[in-house]
Amino acid sequence: MTALQYSQIVTFFLLFCFFISVSHGRVPPAGADFRVKAVNLGGWLVTEGWIKPSLFDGIPNKDFLDGTGLQFKSVAVGKYLAAETGGGTIVVANRTSASGWETFKLWRINETTFNFRVFNKQFVGLDKAGNGINIVAVASTPGVWETFQIVRKSDDVNRVRIRASNGFFLQVKTEELVTADFQGNGTWADDDPSVFLITSAGGYQGEFQVTNGYGPVKAPLVMGEHWRTFIVEDDFKFVAGNGLNAVRIPVGWWIACGPNPPKPFVAGALRALDNAFFWARKYGLKVIIDLHAAPGSQNPWEHSGTRDGSQEWGLTDDSINQTVAVIDFLTARYAKSPSLLAVELLNEPLSPGVSLDTLSKYYKAGYDAVRRHSSTAYVILSNRLGPADSTELIPFASGLTRSVIDVHYYNLFSDVYSNLTVQQNIDIIQTNRTAQLARITSANGPLVFVGEWVAEWEVSGAAKEDYQRFAAAQLQVYGRATFGWAYWTLKNVVNHWSLEWMIKNGYIKL
């Protein structure tokens, strides 16, 4: 055999292997030995208050943001207000303890004025069909009759009165009758039927909360400053200089809405994303665009852009079509950039609220939108969280070219991890996570991406060496993922969640 013949055979074999792998979606990124080693730029273009709590510091009544669950205990009768049967009928004051039916979620109009949404999603209001003063929870959408002002006692902010749109305050006449006909000239004493003690049942600190909290005048200024300063060019230089080759950038659907996105969202994030692509190219990094927040919210957490924890994405074709349009816009904008590595169609859809049929329908449409503009960008499909089979997307994704399944692994957020030792946490990585990755990795299936992980756990008093071992175990196991991995996140006030801090302080070595 001549050298020429040998060369031709080798070339043919390599081309054959390449086209076989393309036909099954198994094209490794940027060469056979390339694996994504990325960091998420969380808390930048999609707000998460726990990452940067100071972003919320200037909001008046910042404990009354959209979605905050308030419970009102009448000082006169010593019982809580409740939406009877969870909503759809009267509001009563006969509960000795508070949970779902006794929790009213705020829709913020301004710093003192709100709508109250109840368990079954109706809004509290005056009884328009009756005498106009009884309090009910029957409206599916809020209006003037469903608008209330919370008046706080100046020297005890947890002691409040609630003024209705008729100008009168709510009062508890009996445990079964709450009305809006009190003049409000009481003394705030414990026998005052218009006084309530409030308890917060938790809330949200996402993009909706921060922009609606500041309002239409101040929010653009605050968010503009945040986008300009939280992630800067030096961060990309730092990432590239510490063994990483990509960034995963979460974005919200409103980024595609031009200079006037739907209220309360504000424009400006797109310019920051443009900067990210410029810096990525300058420092040799790849970019994964991650649609972290979809219209209607694909999960009930603040990072989905939700107003009050409602999960409504995918319930209508309109929300799916709107999301596809966002993917189309983003891919068209960046398809020609050499830094674009992948587009992730949706982050962490939650089962059972998002069905597999709905998700597959959207993923096919989103994939087609990417392919209209790019034949080379990888298309990342996030597995559903919640009750779902981790392999459920593999048959669908196997029919797509350059497809990737995204999974997120945390030794957190479950009682399973509450009392584990250092070694037990490491054993879970080396045994359980290895098995989980193997289960979703197949020779002819999609690539696999560990799109989020962190060297944090619920171990108390762990030493620096323990964190180093925990991080090293994850790097070893997730390094086998056929597409790669991304640490959550680059910057965070909580040290171990900040890869920048972990690197600078020697807790992780890449």
Side-chain angles (χ1 to χ4, degrees):
M1 180 184 298
T2 67
L4 176 61
Q5 289 173 321
Y6 178 78
S7 175
Q8 290 172 332
I9 291 172
V10 169
T11 300
F12 174 80
F13 177 74
L14 291 174
L15 287 172
F16 174 79
C17 291
F18 174 79
F19 286 115
I20 288 296
S21 65
V22 166
S23 69
H24 290 89
R26 291 279 301 175
V27 187
D33 295 328
F34 184 90
R35 292 291 185 275
V36 171
K37 298 177 181 179
V39 63
N40 286 277
L41 303 186
W44 184 32
L45 305 186
V46 176
T47 300
E48 295 187 46
W50 70 285
I51 293 176
K52 184 185 174 184
S54 62
L55 190 59
F56 291 76
D57 284 351
I59 299 176
N61 273 350
K62 66 177 182 178
D63 54 339
F64 283 179
L65 299 176
D66 287 277
T68 299
L70 292 185
Q71 297 160 347
F72 299 92
K73 186 177 184 179
S74 167
V75 298
V77 301
K79 294 185 178 179
Y80 290 91
L81 294 183
E84 195 74 289
T85 70
T89 182
I90 63 173
V91 173
V92 296
N94 61 8
R95 301 298 203 277
T96 57
S97 60
S99 58
W101 290 3
E102 298 77 37
T103 300
F104 301 82
K105 289 194 172 183
L106 300 181
W107 277 26
R108 181 174 171 129
I109 298 171
N110 57 46
E111 63 185 272
T112 61
T113 309
F114 308 88
N115 307 125
F116 300 144
R117 202 178 196 190
V118 300
F119 187 82
N120 290 336
K121 300 188 185 302
Q122 296 94 344
F123 291 88
V124 175
L126 300 175
D127 182 12
K128 292 181 284 187
N131 58 15
I133 63 171
N134 289 352
I135 302 301
V136 295
V138 297
S140 58
T141 56
V144 173
W145 290 65
E146 290 76 37
T147 300
F148 297 89
Q149 182 184 21
I150 299 178
V151 180
R152 303 179 108 161
K153 190 171 185 286
S154 59
D155 60 351
D156 183 358
V157 296
N158 291 322
R159 208 170 181 91
V160 303
R161 288 192 174 105
I162 305 168
R163 181 185 280 120
S165 58
N166 63 4
F168 293 96
F169 289 94
L170 271 61
Q171 66 169 324
V172 177
K173 287 187 173 177
T174 71
E175 291 186 6
E176 308 299 326
L177 182 61
V178 182
T179 60
D181 57 355
F182 191 80
Q183 293 283 354
N185 52 1
T187 62
W188 294 94
D190 286 347
D191 61 351
D192 190 325
S194 69
V195 176
F196 300 88
L197 296 176
I198 57 169
T199 303
S200 175
Y204 305 85
Q205 286 194 326
E207 193 85 11
F208 199 105
Q209 287 72 33
V210 72
T211 51
N212 203 36
Y214 278 111
V217 175
K218 195 169 183 180
L221 303 176
V222 172
M223 298 310 296
E225 178 67 13
H226 169 65
W227 293 328
R228 284 191 300 272
T229 59
F230 187 64
I231 298 293
V232 297
E233 180 178 345
D234 279 350
D235 295 315
F236 280 72
K237 183 178 180 180
F238 175 83
V239 168
N242 281 279
L244 299 167
N245 55 28
V247 289
R248 179 176 180 252
I249 305 180
V251 300
W253 62 271
W254 52 88
I255 199 172
C257 294
N260 298 297
K263 294 180 180 180
F265 303 111
V266 299
L270 187 61
R271 183 180 304 167
L273 186 58
D274 288 343
N275 288 339
F277 269 88
F278 178 80
W279 296 330
R281 184 171 186 178
K282 181 175 180 179
Y283 294 103
L285 296 171
K286 296 296 184 182
V287 175
I288 299 167
I289 302 175
D290 155 42
L291 186 61
H292 221 68
S297 300
Q298 73 279 11
N299 62 53
W301 303 305
E302 61 192 28
H303 56 68
S304 71
T306 184
R307 183 172 195 172
D308 65 3
S310 297
Q311 180 185 352
E312 297 173 348
W313 179 86
L315 299 182
T316 65
D317 287 343
D318 184 62
S319 66
I320 293 177
N321 295 337
Q322 188 179 355
T323 312
V324 172
V326 174
I327 296 299
D328 187 271
F329 170 85
L330 290 169
T331 311
R333 190 175 185 90
Y334 300 111
K336 294 182 180 179
S337 170
S339 298
L340 179 65
L341 177 65
V343 178
E344 183 155 3
L345 301 182
L346 193 63
N347 178 71
E348 295 184 346
L350 181 65
S351 168
V354 175
S355 70
L356 180 59
D357 287 345
T358 295
L359 190 61
S360 298
K361 175 182 177 182
Y362 164 65
Y363 278 168
K364 180 59 170 68
Y367 173 86
D368 290 342
V370 173
R371 287 289 168 258
R372 278 194 290 273
H373 305 287
S374 173
S375 60
T376 57
Y378 288 86
V379 180
I380 302 178
L381 317 175
S382 176
N383 261 353
R384 291 190 299 166
L385 300 186
D389 186 339
S390 64
T391 66
E392 65 184 11
L393 288 174
I394 292 177
F396 168 77
S398 295
L400 307 177
T401 301
R402 302 175 83 87
S403 63
V404 182
I405 299 294
D406 180 18
V407 292
H408 297 170
Y409 292 145
Y410 292 103
N411 282 24
L412 296 159
F413 312 126
S414 170
D415 291 341
V416 172
Y417 306 110
S418 296
N419 298 304
L420 298 183
T421 65
V422 169
Q423 189 57 50
Q424 286 171 330
N425 274 279
I426 292 173
D427 289 344
I428 282 179
I429 301 302
Q430 293 175 334
T431 303
N432 299 45
R433 300 293 187 233
T434 296
Q436 289 167 344
L437 277 177
R439 188 165 186 262
I440 57 176
T441 304
S442 57
N444 296 317
L447 298 170
V448 176
F449 180 42
V450 183
E452 293 183 20
W453 66 277
V454 68
E456 183 60 295
W457 46 20
E458 296 189 17
V459 178
S460 298
K464 180 177 181 178
E465 182 184 357
D466 297 326
Y467 280 97
Q468 291 171 329
R469 291 173 56 215
F470 187 48
Q474 292 186 83
L475 286 169
Q476 179 187 35
V477 172
Y478 304 156
R480 301 173 194 145
T482 50
F483 188 77
W485 52 259
Y487 193 96
W488 188 274
T489 182
L490 179 63
K491 294 184 175 182
N492 199 312
V493 296
V494 185
N495 289 340
H496 303 126
W497 289 85
S498 167
L499 185 60
E500 179 184 52
W501 186 93
M502 294 286 280
I503 290 172
K504 289 181 176 180
N505 289 275
Y507 277 70
I508 193 169
K509 185 176 182 180
L510 303 177

